Amino acid sequence: MDKQTMGAWIVHHGRKINDNTNVAAEYGAIDIAAKSASLLSRMAASDQDELSNELVITLGKVGGLNPRTELKACLEELKKQKVIDVANSGAVSVLGITTNSALSHATDMFNRNAPDSHENAVLDLSEKVSQAPINRKLASEYISDIHRLPNSEVSELITQASTIGFIDSDSDDDDPLLFNGNLFRRDTVSKSQKILSSLNSTEQSSLISFNEKLNLQGAVHIKVAEKILGQTLLSKLRAAAFFDENVVSNEAGDHSFITSPSSFHKFSNPMLDDAFDHAKALVSALCYGVSVSSSSRGRIWGVELILGKLIRGGTVGPVPAIGKDYRALELERVVRIIPGNYGFSMQLLKREVGEIALQVLQNGSANNTVLENVPSAQVTAYIGPEAARTRFKKKKSIQPSSSQMRTLLSSVRSGGGL
């Protein structure tokens, strides 16, 4: 793997480690590298910047870091990486960073922390099963040969990787198909054609109809997706990560809409763009503003004009909605929110994120139907596709059967069902 791709897996696995108790100690190099890279991404903008000690502590807490232990350790890692300077006051000077460079730094920090063979193996395995689903027995042979691990350790590693969420499996039998949520990040066209060929005629017609709507709009509310696809087919596709589910949260609850993984692949390797979910979060907030905000609070009517101005370094606003609808992005330092006498203004801190979002929205109309069912309430949080898929998988009542899942995944691997 190149450094950026490996860094993306490190960040991905770091999130899974955070979701599981007593795992960080066993995957220490991945854990510290992922937390440090995520903190770097949160602190850094496109240009060099100065952050107060109070802001650094806040950004650490946003990432779930203990200010007395983990935050200090991550800052020390970043100092060793020579991407930040820390003053005696605790203020931090951080270099201008892109997603690609943040992920390269993640790989460097991982390698510097003396990872063991098990950590390298789970990263390698994740990359392998993201290209195409493979049987557990073949995966075991590959890991044993490449990483020189005994069979007993390989078996335990694959079971643990599946339990933690580094990888997925289609069933609990002796030789399941292994894959992960990044399966449709690459070779989307060929894999989509294989999926289509594995469906019956009614399902094929539904999927073609839905894809046409998705390509037109850029994002489709999940209630619309359920109506077109039916719950069974949608459940199967969601579980296999064929579509991305994005969740906008506010005081009225969680509201999901579907995007295509291929929509975010205009600039670089999709694995890299998806590492921090910033572009998806920005698209989500903008779509929400288009479809929900009233004119009195700052309804969005010209997404491309707004994004164009932000990318060029300009400021948009002031309107009241900016102070409420972009809080999740402000905490990730994708944007800077500026209070004023007549509302709030906004600047874009990460230009590459705005460029990706613009490409996505230019390829869809981003019109009022995107989130037409979402109540008019402020956006307080964003849940990215992998977290949404994990949450969906835990809802056993709507899980597709293992035979349905196996047929779908087998079609990606070999072009036909088992």
Side-chain angles (χ1 to χ4, degrees):
M1 284 182 281
D2 58 64
K3 289 175 66 173
Q4 289 84 11
T5 302
M6 186 176 223
W9 284 120
I10 290 167
V11 172
H12 173 276
H13 286 13
R15 290 175 177 170
K16 299 298 184 179
I17 290 170
N18 286 340
D19 292 338
N20 291 268
T21 307
N22 301 325
V23 174
E26 191 161 352
Y27 295 94
I30 292 177
D31 183 56
I32 187 64
K35 287 176 176 175
S36 299
S38 296
L39 177 63
L40 175 62
S41 175
R42 194 170 291 112
M43 291 193 302
S46 296
D47 301 314
Q48 185 168 345
D49 207 352
E50 305 286 332
L51 285 66
S52 68
N53 181 48
E54 292 76 16
L55 179 55
V56 172
I57 292 174
T58 297
L59 296 175
K61 289 180 178 179
V62 169
L65 302 179
N66 184 322
R68 299 181 183 275
T69 54
E70 294 176 306
L71 177 58
K72 291 182 179 180
C74 290
L75 290 173
E76 199 59 39
E77 282 293 322
L78 295 174
K79 284 173 61 180
K80 291 177 183 177
Q81 196 63 23
K82 298 182 179 178
V83 291
I84 67 168
D85 286 322
V86 182
N88 293 333
S89 64
V92 170
S93 175
V94 57
L95 296 176
I97 296 292
T98 64
T99 295
N100 284 14
S101 57
L103 296 176
S104 291
H105 290 308
T107 299
D108 289 339
M109 289 183 284
F110 170 74
N111 290 328
R112 191 171 58 239
N113 279 278
D116 61 30
S117 56
H118 293 77
E119 291 183 283
N120 281 305
V122 295
L123 295 172
D124 190 4
L125 177 62
S126 298
E127 170 69 6
K128 195 75 173 175
V129 302
S130 75
Q131 297 169 7
I134 58 175
N135 293 83
R136 176 172 177 139
K137 289 180 181 178
L138 290 176
S140 298
E141 293 174 3
Y142 172 79
I143 293 299
S144 179
D145 291 344
I146 298 298
H147 296 278
R148 300 290 188 267
L149 293 173
N151 291 334
S152 59
E153 291 185 23
V154 172
S155 178
E156 184 179 359
L157 181 145
I158 293 178
T159 298
Q160 187 182 55
S162 181
T163 301
I164 294 170
F166 295 157
I167 61 174
D168 299 278
S169 64
D170 72 322
S171 67
D172 295 324
D173 61 24
D174 292 336
D175 193 23
L177 284 174
L178 305 179
F179 70 105
N180 62 35
N182 289 282
L183 183 59
F184 293 98
R185 294 289 180 268
R186 303 174 237 207
D187 302 324
T188 307
V189 174
S190 62
K191 290 178 181 178
S192 296
Q193 289 174 339
K194 291 178 179 180
I195 288 292
L196 194 62
S197 66
S198 74
L199 304 177
N200 62 42
S201 58
T202 301
E203 290 175 326
Q204 286 184 16
S205 178
S206 297
L207 183 54
I208 291 171
S209 177
F210 180 74
N211 277 332
E212 288 175 352
K213 191 174 188 67
L214 188 59
N215 290 335
L216 176 66
Q217 295 182 186
V220 174
H221 194 275
I222 196 163
K223 290 185 178 180
V224 177
E226 287 177 352
K227 185 176 180 180
I228 297 174
L229 295 170
Q231 191 176 60
T232 300
L233 178 56
L234 178 59
S235 295
K236 183 163 57 174
L237 294 170
R238 288 169 74 191
F242 185 76
F243 294 124
D244 280 342
E245 179 185 3
N246 301 262
V247 182
V248 172
S249 300
N250 53 39
E251 65 255 31
D254 293 343
H255 316 282
S256 300
F257 63 97
I258 303 297
T259 58
S260 170
S262 61
S263 295
F264 291 81
H265 301 175
K266 307 302 178 183
F267 286 89
S268 62
N269 185 328
M271 273 291 299
L272 313 187
D273 294 337
D274 294 341
F276 301 109
D277 285 333
H278 289 156
K280 289 186 175 69
L282 181 56
V283 167
S284 303
L286 290 169
C287 288
Y288 187 93
V290 167
S291 62
V292 176
S293 287
S294 63
S295 57
S296 62
R297 69 188 294 272
R299 188 184 188 94
I300 296 175
W301 59 268
V303 173
E304 294 182 15
L305 293 175
I306 289 173
L307 274 174
K309 186 174 183 180
L310 289 171
I311 291 168
R312 292 192 298 272
T315 300
V316 298
V319 293
I322 286 177
K324 296 180 178 180
D325 292 354
Y326 297 87
R327 291 179 177 177
L329 288 158
E330 183 181 20
L331 291 174
E332 292 290 330
R333 276 185 42 89
V334 174
V335 299
R336 175 181 287 126
I337 305 300
I338 307 164
N341 294 331
Y342 303 101
F344 297 83
S345 299
M346 180 168 67
Q347 293 176 332
L348 183 65
L349 296 178
K350 293 178 169 65
R351 284 190 296 272
E352 61 170 337
V353 173
E355 290 169 346
I356 295 170
L358 180 59
Q359 288 292 321
V360 171
L361 294 173
Q362 281 179 333
N363 284 314
S365 62
N367 58 27
N368 292 354
T369 63
V370 172
L371 289 173
E372 59 190 3
N373 297 307
V374 182
S376 182
Q378 67 188 42
V379 177
T380 56
Y382 167 77
I383 299 174
E386 182 62 19
R389 191 176 71 92
T390 300
R391 186 170 63 172
F392 165 74
K393 286 166 59 185
K394 293 179 180 178
K395 298 178 181 178
K396 299 296 184 182
S397 60
I398 57 173
Q399 271 284 72
S401 70
S402 59
S403 61
Q404 288 178 320
M405 177 66 77
R406 174 159 286 237
T407 298
L408 186 150
L409 293 173
S410 295
S411 70
V412 176
R413 183 186 59 172
S414 59
L418 292 181

